[in-house]
PDB file of all heavy atoms in Angstrom:
ATOM      1  N   PRO A  13     -38.029  30.644 160.760  1.00  0.00           N
ATOM      2  CA  PRO A  13     -38.776  31.916 160.686  1.00  0.00           C
ATOM      3  C   PRO A  13     -40.159  31.753 160.048  1.00  0.00           C
ATOM      4  O   PRO A  13     -41.132  32.338 160.530  1.00  0.00           O
ATOM      5  CB  PRO A  13     -37.852  32.810 159.863  1.00  0.00           C
ATOM      6  CG  PRO A  13     -36.475  32.279 160.129  1.00  0.00           C
ATOM      7  CD  PRO A  13     -36.665  30.790 160.222  1.00  0.00           C
ATOM      8  N   ALA A  14     -40.247  30.977 158.973  1.00  0.00           N
ATOM      9  CA  ALA A  14     -41.546  30.785 158.306  1.00  0.00           C
ATOM     10  C   ALA A  14     -42.497  30.028 159.217  1.00  0.00           C
ATOM     11  O   ALA A  14     -43.701  30.343 159.302  1.00  0.00           O
ATOM     12  CB  ALA A  14     -41.365  30.050 156.992  1.00  0.00           C
ATOM     13  N   LEU A  15     -41.993  29.001 159.905  1.00  0.00           N
ATOM     14  CA  LEU A  15     -42.852  28.227 160.805  1.00  0.00           C
ATOM     15  C   LEU A  15     -43.318  29.089 161.975  1.00  0.00           C
ATOM     16  O   LEU A  15     -44.502  29.058 162.328  1.00  0.00           O
ATOM     17  CB  LEU A  15     -42.088  27.011 161.320  1.00  0.00           C
ATOM     18  CG  LEU A  15     -42.830  26.109 162.292  1.00  0.00           C
ATOM     19  CD1 LEU A  15     -44.056  25.496 161.647  1.00  0.00           C
ATOM     20  CD2 LEU A  15     -41.907  24.997 162.806  1.00  0.00           C
ATOM     21  N   ASN A  16     -42.410  29.852 162.549  1.00  0.00           N
ATOM     22  CA  ASN A  16     -42.789  30.700 163.681  1.00  0.00           C
ATOM     23  C   ASN A  16     -43.722  31.825 163.268  1.00  0.00           C
ATOM     24  O   ASN A  16     -44.563  32.265 164.052  1.00  0.00           O
ATOM     25  CB  ASN A  16     -41.542  31.259 164.373  1.00  0.00           C
ATOM     26  CG  ASN A  16     -40.943  30.272 165.352  1.00  0.00           C
ATOM     27  OD1 ASN A  16     -41.631  29.380 165.858  1.00  0.00           O
ATOM     28  ND2 ASN A  16     -39.663  30.425 165.639  1.00  0.00           N
ATOM     29  N   GLU A  17     -43.589  32.290 162.047  1.00  0.00           N
ATOM     30  CA  GLU A  17     -44.525  33.291 161.549  1.00  0.00           C
ATOM     31  C   GLU A  17     -45.945  32.713 161.528  1.00  0.00           C
ATOM     32  O   GLU A  17     -46.912  33.378 161.919  1.00  0.00           O
ATOM     33  CB  GLU A  17     -44.139  33.748 160.139  1.00  0.00           C
ATOM     34  CG  GLU A  17     -45.088  34.779 159.540  1.00  0.00           C
ATOM     35  CD  GLU A  17     -44.743  35.145 158.115  1.00  0.00           C
ATOM     36  OE1 GLU A  17     -43.716  34.665 157.596  1.00  0.00           O
ATOM     37  OE2 GLU A  17     -45.529  35.898 157.489  1.00  0.00           O
ATOM     38  N   ALA A  18     -46.052  31.446 161.082  1.00  0.00           N
ATOM     39  CA  ALA A  18     -47.368  30.790 161.090  1.00  0.00           C
ATOM     40  C   ALA A  18     -47.868  30.607 162.516  1.00  0.00           C
ATOM     41  O   ALA A  18     -49.049  30.847 162.805  1.00  0.00           O
ATOM     42  CB  ALA A  18     -47.273  29.440 160.379  1.00  0.00           C
ATOM     43  N   ARG A  19     -47.008  30.218 163.424  1.00  0.00           N
ATOM     44  CA  ARG A  19     -47.419  29.984 164.808  1.00  0.00           C
ATOM     45  C   ARG A  19     -47.893  31.283 165.470  1.00  0.00           C
ATOM     46  O   ARG A  19     -48.950  31.310 166.100  1.00  0.00           O
ATOM     47  CB  ARG A  19     -46.254  29.375 165.599  1.00  0.00           C
ATOM     48  CG  ARG A  19     -45.942  27.939 165.218  1.00  0.00           C
ATOM     49  CD  ARG A  19     -44.781  27.393 166.013  1.00  0.00           C
ATOM     50  NE  ARG A  19     -45.076  27.425 167.456  1.00  0.00           N
ATOM     51  CZ  ARG A  19     -45.770  26.508 168.109  1.00  0.00           C
ATOM     52  NH1 ARG A  19     -46.255  25.459 167.456  1.00  0.00           N
ATOM     53  NH2 ARG A  19     -45.997  26.617 169.418  1.00  0.00           N
ATOM     54  N   THR A  20     -47.127  32.331 165.348  1.00  0.00           N
ATOM     55  CA  THR A  20     -47.530  33.595 166.006  1.00  0.00           C
ATOM     56  C   THR A  20     -48.784  34.156 165.349  1.00  0.00           C
ATOM     57  O   THR A  20     -49.601  34.788 166.047  1.00  0.00           O
ATOM     58  CB  THR A  20     -46.378  34.617 165.932  1.00  0.00           C
ATOM     59  OG1 THR A  20     -45.986  34.823 164.571  1.00  0.00           O
ATOM     60  CG2 THR A  20     -45.184  34.139 166.726  1.00  0.00           C
ATOM     61  N   ARG A  21     -48.963  33.914 164.079  1.00  0.00           N
ATOM     62  CA  ARG A  21     -50.166  34.389 163.387  1.00  0.00           C
ATOM     63  C   ARG A  21     -51.425  33.776 163.983  1.00  0.00           C
ATOM     64  O   ARG A  21     -52.485  34.420 164.022  1.00  0.00           O
ATOM     65  CB  ARG A  21     -50.047  34.050 161.899  1.00  0.00           C
ATOM     66  CG  ARG A  21     -51.200  34.527 161.047  1.00  0.00           C
ATOM     67  CD  ARG A  21     -50.900  34.232 159.598  1.00  0.00           C
ATOM     68  NE  ARG A  21     -51.981  34.641 158.730  1.00  0.00           N
ATOM     69  CZ  ARG A  21     -52.007  34.466 157.407  1.00  0.00           C
ATOM     70  NH1 ARG A  21     -50.965  33.903 156.834  1.00  0.00           N
ATOM     71  NH2 ARG A  21     -53.023  34.847 156.693  1.00  0.00           N
ATOM     72  N   PHE A  22     -51.292  32.557 164.488  1.00  0.00           N
ATOM     73  CA  PHE A  22     -52.454  31.869 165.045  1.00  0.00           C
ATOM     74  C   PHE A  22     -52.380  31.706 166.561  1.00  0.00           C
ATOM     75  O   PHE A  22     -52.965  30.803 167.128  1.00  0.00           O
ATOM     76  CB  PHE A  22     -52.623  30.516 164.353  1.00  0.00           C
ATOM     77  CG  PHE A  22     -52.822  30.637 162.874  1.00  0.00           C
ATOM     78  CD1 PHE A  22     -51.866  30.200 161.976  1.00  0.00           C
ATOM     79  CD2 PHE A  22     -53.963  31.256 162.366  1.00  0.00           C
ATOM     80  CE1 PHE A  22     -52.040  30.335 160.614  1.00  0.00           C
ATOM     81  CE2 PHE A  22     -54.151  31.403 161.000  1.00  0.00           C
ATOM     82  CZ  PHE A  22     -53.183  30.948 160.122  1.00  0.00           C
ATOM     83  N   GLY A  23     -51.639  32.614 167.191  1.00  0.00           N
ATOM     84  CA  GLY A  23     -51.670  32.704 168.643  1.00  0.00           C
ATOM     85  C   GLY A  23     -50.819  31.722 169.387  1.00  0.00           C
ATOM     86  O   GLY A  23     -51.038  31.494 170.581  1.00  0.00           O
ATOM     87  N   LEU A  24     -49.837  31.127 168.738  1.00  0.00           N
ATOM     88  CA  LEU A  24     -48.958  30.160 169.383  1.00  0.00           C
ATOM     89  C   LEU A  24     -47.585  30.757 169.620  1.00  0.00           C
ATOM     90  O   LEU A  24     -47.114  31.601 168.846  1.00  0.00           O
ATOM     91  CB  LEU A  24     -48.805  28.903 168.509  1.00  0.00           C
ATOM     92  CG  LEU A  24     -50.099  28.150 168.184  1.00  0.00           C
ATOM     93  CD1 LEU A  24     -49.812  27.029 167.189  1.00  0.00           C
ATOM     94  CD2 LEU A  24     -50.726  27.574 169.446  1.00  0.00           C
ATOM     95  N   ALA A  25     -46.934  30.321 170.684  1.00  0.00           N
ATOM     96  CA  ALA A  25     -45.596  30.807 170.999  1.00  0.00           C
ATOM     97  C   ALA A  25     -44.594  30.303 169.987  1.00  0.00           C
ATOM     98  O   ALA A  25     -44.716  29.173 169.484  1.00  0.00           O
ATOM     99  CB  ALA A  25     -45.200  30.364 172.408  1.00  0.00           C
ATOM    100  N   PRO A  26     -43.580  31.079 169.659  1.00  0.00           N
ATOM    101  CA  PRO A  26     -42.560  30.614 168.713  1.00  0.00           C
ATOM    102  C   PRO A  26     -41.748  29.467 169.303  1.00  0.00           C
ATOM    103  O   PRO A  26     -41.656  29.300 170.515  1.00  0.00           O
ATOM    104  CB  PRO A  26     -41.683  31.846 168.481  1.00  0.00           C
ATOM    105  CG  PRO A  26     -41.916  32.714 169.682  1.00  0.00           C
ATOM    106  CD  PRO A  26     -43.330  32.465 170.110  1.00  0.00           C
ATOM    107  N   LEU A  27     -41.171  28.671 168.402  1.00  0.00           N
ATOM    108  CA  LEU A  27     -40.334  27.530 168.799  1.00  0.00           C
ATOM    109  C   LEU A  27     -38.863  27.903 168.637  1.00  0.00           C
ATOM    110  O   LEU A  27     -38.508  28.792 167.854  1.00  0.00           O
ATOM    111  CB  LEU A  27     -40.653  26.326 167.931  1.00  0.00           C
ATOM    112  CG  LEU A  27     -42.079  25.776 167.993  1.00  0.00           C
ATOM    113  CD1 LEU A  27     -42.259  24.670 166.949  1.00  0.00           C
ATOM    114  CD2 LEU A  27     -42.403  25.263 169.377  1.00  0.00           C
ATOM    115  N   SER A  28     -38.007  27.185 169.333  1.00  0.00           N
ATOM    116  CA  SER A  28     -36.562  27.375 169.171  1.00  0.00           C
ATOM    117  C   SER A  28     -35.966  26.362 168.214  1.00  0.00           C
ATOM    118  O   SER A  28     -34.840  26.535 167.750  1.00  0.00           O
ATOM    119  CB  SER A  28     -35.864  27.290 170.533  1.00  0.00           C
ATOM    120  OG  SER A  28     -36.113  26.033 171.132  1.00  0.00           O
ATOM    121  N   ARG A  29     -36.712  25.283 167.905  1.00  0.00           N
ATOM    122  CA  ARG A  29     -36.274  24.255 166.968  1.00  0.00           C
ATOM    123  C   ARG A  29     -37.451  23.876 166.072  1.00  0.00           C
ATOM    124  O   ARG A  29     -38.564  23.671 166.563  1.00  0.00           O
ATOM    125  CB  ARG A  29     -35.800  22.985 167.690  1.00  0.00           C
ATOM    126  CG  ARG A  29     -34.599  23.136 168.562  1.00  0.00           C
ATOM    127  CD  ARG A  29     -34.336  21.857 169.359  1.00  0.00           C
ATOM    128  NE  ARG A  29     -34.052  20.697 168.519  1.00  0.00           N
ATOM    129  CZ  ARG A  29     -34.869  19.655 168.381  1.00  0.00           C
ATOM    130  NH1 ARG A  29     -36.051  19.620 168.999  1.00  0.00           N
ATOM    131  NH2 ARG A  29     -34.520  18.626 167.621  1.00  0.00           N
ATOM    132  N   THR A  30     -37.214  23.762 164.792  1.00  0.00           N
ATOM    133  CA  THR A  30     -38.293  23.386 163.872  1.00  0.00           C
ATOM    134  C   THR A  30     -38.884  22.029 164.227  1.00  0.00           C
ATOM    135  O   THR A  30     -40.104  21.844 164.225  1.00  0.00           O
ATOM    136  CB  THR A  30     -37.755  23.365 162.425  1.00  0.00           C
ATOM    137  OG1 THR A  30     -37.351  24.678 162.056  1.00  0.00           O
ATOM    138  CG2 THR A  30     -38.823  22.866 161.456  1.00  0.00           C
ATOM    139  N   LEU A  31     -38.024  21.051 164.551  1.00  0.00           N
ATOM    140  CA  LEU A  31     -38.513  19.703 164.784  1.00  0.00           C
ATOM    141  C   LEU A  31     -39.293  19.586 166.090  1.00  0.00           C
ATOM    142  O   LEU A  31     -39.934  18.557 166.325  1.00  0.00           O
ATOM    143  CB  LEU A  31     -37.354  18.706 164.761  1.00  0.00           C
ATOM    144  CG  LEU A  31     -36.758  18.461 163.374  1.00  0.00           C
ATOM    145  CD1 LEU A  31     -35.577  17.504 163.440  1.00  0.00           C
ATOM    146  CD2 LEU A  31     -37.804  17.931 162.400  1.00  0.00           C
ATOM    147  N   ASP A  32     -39.284  20.629 166.932  1.00  0.00           N
ATOM    148  CA  ASP A  32     -40.159  20.598 168.109  1.00  0.00           C
ATOM    149  C   ASP A  32     -41.627  20.638 167.700  1.00  0.00           C
ATOM    150  O   ASP A  32     -42.501  20.244 168.487  1.00  0.00           O
ATOM    151  CB  ASP A  32     -39.852  21.785 169.030  1.00  0.00           C
ATOM    152  CG  ASP A  32     -38.574  21.579 169.825  1.00  0.00           C
ATOM    153  OD1 ASP A  32     -38.098  20.432 169.893  1.00  0.00           O
ATOM    154  OD2 ASP A  32     -38.040  22.570 170.363  1.00  0.00           O
ATOM    155  N   GLN A  33     -41.920  21.099 166.479  1.00  0.00           N
ATOM    156  CA  GLN A  33     -43.300  21.096 166.001  1.00  0.00           C
ATOM    157  C   GLN A  33     -43.785  19.679 165.723  1.00  0.00           C
ATOM    158  O   GLN A  33     -44.973  19.390 165.783  1.00  0.00           O
ATOM    159  CB  GLN A  33     -43.411  21.924 164.723  1.00  0.00           C
ATOM    160  CG  GLN A  33     -44.820  22.086 164.169  1.00  0.00           C
ATOM    161  CD  GLN A  33     -45.703  22.896 165.088  1.00  0.00           C
ATOM    162  OE1 GLN A  33     -45.560  24.093 165.200  1.00  0.00           O
ATOM    163  NE2 GLN A  33     -46.666  22.234 165.752  1.00  0.00           N
ATOM    164  N   LEU A  34     -42.839  18.781 165.431  1.00  0.00           N
ATOM    165  CA  LEU A  34     -43.201  17.415 165.058  1.00  0.00           C
ATOM    166  C   LEU A  34     -43.349  16.575 166.332  1.00  0.00           C
ATOM    167  O   LEU A  34     -42.625  15.594 166.524  1.00  0.00           O
ATOM    168  CB  LEU A  34     -42.124  16.834 164.138  1.00  0.00           C
ATOM    169  CG  LEU A  34     -42.586  15.999 162.951  1.00  0.00           C
ATOM    170  CD1 LEU A  34     -41.432  15.640 162.038  1.00  0.00           C
ATOM    171  CD2 LEU A  34     -43.313  14.732 163.382  1.00  0.00           C
ATOM    172  N   ARG A  35     -44.288  16.968 167.169  1.00  0.00           N
ATOM    173  CA  ARG A  35     -44.596  16.234 168.400  1.00  0.00           C
ATOM    174  C   ARG A  35     -46.105  16.116 168.540  1.00  0.00           C
ATOM    175  O   ARG A  35     -46.730  16.746 169.380  1.00  0.00           O
ATOM    176  CB  ARG A  35     -44.004  16.965 169.627  1.00  0.00           C
ATOM    177  CG  ARG A  35     -42.491  16.942 169.725  1.00  0.00           C
ATOM    178  CD  ARG A  35     -41.969  15.533 169.960  1.00  0.00           C
ATOM    179  NE  ARG A  35     -40.534  15.509 170.218  1.00  0.00           N
ATOM    180  CZ  ARG A  35     -39.586  15.475 169.274  1.00  0.00           C
ATOM    181  NH1 ARG A  35     -39.955  15.462 168.007  1.00  0.00           N
ATOM    182  NH2 ARG A  35     -38.315  15.450 169.595  1.00  0.00           N
ATOM    183  N   PRO A  36     -46.710  15.298 167.672  1.00  0.00           N
ATOM    184  CA  PRO A  36     -48.175  15.156 167.710  1.00  0.00           C
ATOM    185  C   PRO A  36     -48.591  14.247 168.864  1.00  0.00           C
ATOM    186  O   PRO A  36     -47.755  13.691 169.593  1.00  0.00           O
ATOM    187  CB  PRO A  36     -48.476  14.496 166.374  1.00  0.00           C
ATOM    188  CG  PRO A  36     -47.269  13.634 166.132  1.00  0.00           C
ATOM    189  CD  PRO A  36     -46.097  14.423 166.668  1.00  0.00           C
ATOM    190  N   ASP A  37     -49.896  14.071 169.026  1.00  0.00           N
ATOM    191  CA  ASP A  37     -50.384  13.065 169.980  1.00  0.00           C
ATOM    192  C   ASP A  37     -49.973  11.668 169.548  1.00  0.00           C
ATOM    193  O   ASP A  37     -49.668  10.812 170.386  1.00  0.00           O
ATOM    194  CB  ASP A  37     -51.894  13.155 170.112  1.00  0.00           C
ATOM    195  CG  ASP A  37     -52.345  14.487 170.674  1.00  0.00           C
ATOM    196  OD1 ASP A  37     -52.068  14.761 171.855  1.00  0.00           O
ATOM    197  OD2 ASP A  37     -52.951  15.259 169.917  1.00  0.00           O
ATOM    198  N   ARG A  38     -50.002  11.425 168.243  1.00  0.00           N
ATOM    199  CA  ARG A  38     -49.576  10.141 167.693  1.00  0.00           C
ATOM    200  C   ARG A  38     -48.855  10.368 166.368  1.00  0.00           C
ATOM    201  O   ARG A  38     -49.342  11.096 165.510  1.00  0.00           O
ATOM    202  CB  ARG A  38     -50.758   9.195 167.434  1.00  0.00           C
ATOM    203  CG  ARG A  38     -51.496   8.727 168.663  1.00  0.00           C
ATOM    204  CD  ARG A  38     -50.687   7.741 169.486  1.00  0.00           C
ATOM    205  NE  ARG A  38     -51.488   7.214 170.578  1.00  0.00           N
ATOM    206  CZ  ARG A  38     -51.623   7.815 171.770  1.00  0.00           C
ATOM    207  NH1 ARG A  38     -50.992   8.978 171.991  1.00  0.00           N
ATOM    208  NH2 ARG A  38     -52.360   7.267 172.707  1.00  0.00           N
ATOM    209  N   LEU A  39     -47.697   9.722 166.226  1.00  0.00           N
ATOM    210  CA  LEU A  39     -47.018   9.630 164.949  1.00  0.00           C
ATOM    211  C   LEU A  39     -47.094   8.164 164.549  1.00  0.00           C
ATOM    212  O   LEU A  39     -46.470   7.301 165.170  1.00  0.00           O
ATOM    213  CB  LEU A  39     -45.568  10.084 165.053  1.00  0.00           C
ATOM    214  CG  LEU A  39     -44.703   9.926 163.805  1.00  0.00           C
ATOM    215  CD1 LEU A  39     -45.289  10.695 162.625  1.00  0.00           C
ATOM    216  CD2 LEU A  39     -43.260  10.363 164.067  1.00  0.00           C
ATOM    217  N   LEU A  40     -47.899   7.886 163.533  1.00  0.00           N
ATOM    218  CA  LEU A  40     -48.210   6.506 163.132  1.00  0.00           C
ATOM    219  C   LEU A  40     -47.374   6.140 161.912  1.00  0.00           C
ATOM    220  O   LEU A  40     -47.564   6.712 160.815  1.00  0.00           O
ATOM    221  CB  LEU A  40     -49.700   6.355 162.854  1.00  0.00           C
ATOM    222  CG  LEU A  40     -50.603   6.743 164.045  1.00  0.00           C
ATOM    223  CD1 LEU A  40     -52.064   6.625 163.676  1.00  0.00           C
ATOM    224  CD2 LEU A  40     -50.287   5.872 165.262  1.00  0.00           C
ATOM    225  N   LEU A  41     -46.457   5.216 162.098  1.00  0.00           N
ATOM    226  CA  LEU A  41     -45.527   4.817 161.048  1.00  0.00           C
ATOM    227  C   LEU A  41     -46.121   3.673 160.226  1.00  0.00           C
ATOM    228  O   LEU A  41     -46.267   2.553 160.739  1.00  0.00           O
ATOM    229  CB  LEU A  41     -44.196   4.369 161.669  1.00  0.00           C
ATOM    230  CG  LEU A  41     -43.507   5.369 162.604  1.00  0.00           C
ATOM    231  CD1 LEU A  41     -42.211   4.753 163.150  1.00  0.00           C
ATOM    232  CD2 LEU A  41     -43.228   6.682 161.905  1.00  0.00           C
ATOM    233  N   ALA A  42     -46.452   3.961 158.990  1.00  0.00           N
ATOM    234  CA  ALA A  42     -47.040   2.934 158.118  1.00  0.00           C
ATOM    235  C   ALA A  42     -45.927   2.132 157.449  1.00  0.00           C
ATOM    236  O   ALA A  42     -45.819   2.064 156.214  1.00  0.00           O
ATOM    237  CB  ALA A  42     -47.955   3.580 157.091  1.00  0.00           C
ATOM    238  N   THR A  43     -45.107   1.548 158.286  1.00  0.00           N
ATOM    239  CA  THR A  43     -44.045   0.681 157.821  1.00  0.00           C
ATOM    240  C   THR A  43     -43.976  -0.523 158.743  1.00  0.00           C
ATOM    241  O   THR A  43     -44.667  -0.581 159.769  1.00  0.00           O
ATOM    242  CB  THR A  43     -42.681   1.406 157.759  1.00  0.00           C
ATOM    243  OG1 THR A  43     -41.741   0.587 157.047  1.00  0.00           O
ATOM    244  CG2 THR A  43     -42.143   1.719 159.146  1.00  0.00           C
ATOM    245  N   SER A  44     -43.110  -1.458 158.411  1.00  0.00           N
ATOM    246  CA  SER A  44     -42.974  -2.674 159.205  1.00  0.00           C
ATOM    247  C   SER A  44     -41.812  -2.533 160.174  1.00  0.00           C
ATOM    248  O   SER A  44     -40.701  -2.187 159.766  1.00  0.00           O
ATOM    249  CB  SER A  44     -42.710  -3.866 158.276  1.00  0.00           C
ATOM    250  OG  SER A  44     -42.102  -4.934 158.964  1.00  0.00           O
ATOM    251  N   PRO A  45     -42.035  -2.816 161.464  1.00  0.00           N
ATOM    252  CA  PRO A  45     -40.908  -2.798 162.405  1.00  0.00           C
ATOM    253  C   PRO A  45     -39.866  -3.848 162.067  1.00  0.00           C
ATOM    254  O   PRO A  45     -38.686  -3.675 162.365  1.00  0.00           O
ATOM    255  CB  PRO A  45     -41.568  -3.071 163.764  1.00  0.00           C
ATOM    256  CG  PRO A  45     -42.898  -3.670 163.455  1.00  0.00           C
ATOM    257  CD  PRO A  45     -43.314  -3.100 162.140  1.00  0.00           C
ATOM    258  N   SER A  46     -40.279  -4.932 161.423  1.00  0.00           N
ATOM    259  CA  SER A  46     -39.309  -5.947 161.007  1.00  0.00           C
ATOM    260  C   SER A  46     -38.427  -5.453 159.866  1.00  0.00           C
ATOM    261  O   SER A  46     -37.250  -5.825 159.758  1.00  0.00           O
ATOM    262  CB  SER A  46     -40.024  -7.228 160.571  1.00  0.00           C
ATOM    263  OG  SER A  46     -40.760  -7.792 161.634  1.00  0.00           O
ATOM    264  N   PHE A  47     -38.960  -4.590 159.010  1.00  0.00           N
ATOM    265  CA  PHE A  47     -38.197  -3.992 157.921  1.00  0.00           C
ATOM    266  C   PHE A  47     -37.300  -2.876 158.442  1.00  0.00           C
ATOM    267  O   PHE A  47     -36.192  -2.671 157.939  1.00  0.00           O
ATOM    268  CB  PHE A  47     -39.146  -3.464 156.846  1.00  0.00           C
ATOM    269  CG  PHE A  47     -38.501  -2.562 155.828  1.00  0.00           C
ATOM    270  CD1 PHE A  47     -37.625  -3.086 154.897  1.00  0.00           C
ATOM    271  CD2 PHE A  47     -38.773  -1.199 155.787  1.00  0.00           C
ATOM    272  CE1 PHE A  47     -37.016  -2.259 153.942  1.00  0.00           C
ATOM    273  CE2 PHE A  47     -38.193  -0.376 154.846  1.00  0.00           C
ATOM    274  CZ  PHE A  47     -37.305  -0.902 153.912  1.00  0.00           C
TER     275      PHE A  47
END
């Protein structure tokens, strides 16, 4: 609800899942793939 309130406030459609927001152009992992 809090996330969708922010989205609708700025003209974006609400989401059905919070983690659907975590879909950027790039998610850059500052870790080692070997680790």
Side-chain angles (χ1 to χ4, degrees):
L15 179 62
N16 277 337
E17 179 184 355
R19 289 179 60 83
T20 56
R21 182 175 179 182
F22 300 112
L24 300 173
L27 299 174
S28 59
R29 297 172 62 249
T30 296
L31 289 177
D32 284 344
Q33 184 66 73
L34 221 173
R35 290 294 187 274
D37 296 293
R38 294 288 186 274
L39 175 59
L40 303 177
L41 305 179
T43 191
S44 159
S46 298
F47 167 71

